[in-house]
Amino acid sequence: MTDTTPIQFDLTPPTDDQRRELEAALTDEERHVLLEHGTEAPFCGVFLDEKRPGVYTCRLCGLPLFNGGQKFESGTGWPSFTSPFAEDHLTTIRDDSYGMIRTEIVCARCGSHQGHVFPDGPPPTGERYCINSVSLEFIPAGEPLPDKLGRGAPEGQPLGG
């Protein structure tokens, strides 16, 4: 596959049984952030300083959400990205909690909370996808993507990133 080859992933939500199994494997903190739309504390996430090439996937369902090459240091205390792996892998939701209006982002396949997107990022997109580390798994370049739902290729296959 080349960098310009579009990769299609099955965005069908997990079955109820798959969801129960995936949720049972979460830690209390992961459950709070992914399922209850919580936020991890700033400057403590495991991926804040991650710089290796690879792909960041949804911690719950394994869908690729961000390429490592799109990550940048925002100074905010959370991993930040300029753009998603694929536009259709994220869904936006209006979030008016805490007296602010923000744009929440969730995994398009399983609906788990990832973080927020803000219009103050660097070029070329001008966007800052501010993501909780506990919402993600990091797959180094050349290693197979997780296939948590048993759907087969491209899941379970290595990707660059």
Side-chain angles (χ1 to χ4, degrees):
M1 244 176 234
T2 68
D3 289 340
T4 59
T5 304
I7 303 168
Q8 296 297 313
F9 288 82
D10 184 350
L11 300 182
T12 306
T15 65
D16 290 343
D17 286 343
Q18 288 172 323
R19 178 170 284 284
R20 278 190 291 278
E21 186 176 318
L22 294 170
E23 289 178 2
L26 297 175
T27 67
D28 289 343
E29 183 181 24
E30 290 167 340
R31 182 178 316 285
H32 172 67
V33 173
L34 290 164
L35 307 180
E36 300 167 3
H37 302 258
T39 300
E40 68 187 359
F43 299 103
C44 70
V46 65
F47 297 129
L48 187 60
D49 296 319
E50 179 61 63
K51 297 190 185 333
R52 294 176 291 166
V55 177
Y56 293 85
T57 64
C58 174
R59 167 64 183 92
L60 188 65
C61 75
L63 184 69
L65 300 178
F66 299 97
N67 282 311
Q70 302 302 316
K71 189 170 181 283
F72 71 98
E73 175 53 54
S74 66
T76 62
W78 291 276
S80 296
F81 302 86
T82 57
S83 59
F85 181 90
E87 292 290 332
D88 63 345
H89 287 202
L90 295 172
T91 300
T92 60
I93 301 170
R94 179 186 164 103
D95 177 0
D96 57 10
S97 61
Y98 303 107
M100 299 180 279
I101 297 175
R102 303 180 291 174
T103 302
E104 177 185 3
I105 51 176
V106 299
C107 174
R109 180 158 70 186
C110 70
S112 62
H113 174 72
Q114 300 298 313
H116 292 84
V117 62
F118 300 95
D120 61 2
T125 65
E127 293 183 318
R128 173 175 52 94
Y129 289 82
C130 189
I131 309 299
N132 293 285
S133 284
V134 298
S135 295
L136 301 171
E137 282 188 57
F138 177 71
I139 311 303
E143 291 191 17
L145 293 173
D147 189 6
K148 295 182 176 193
L149 302 176
R151 297 192 174 167
E155 296 179 59
Q157 304 297 307
L159 290 181

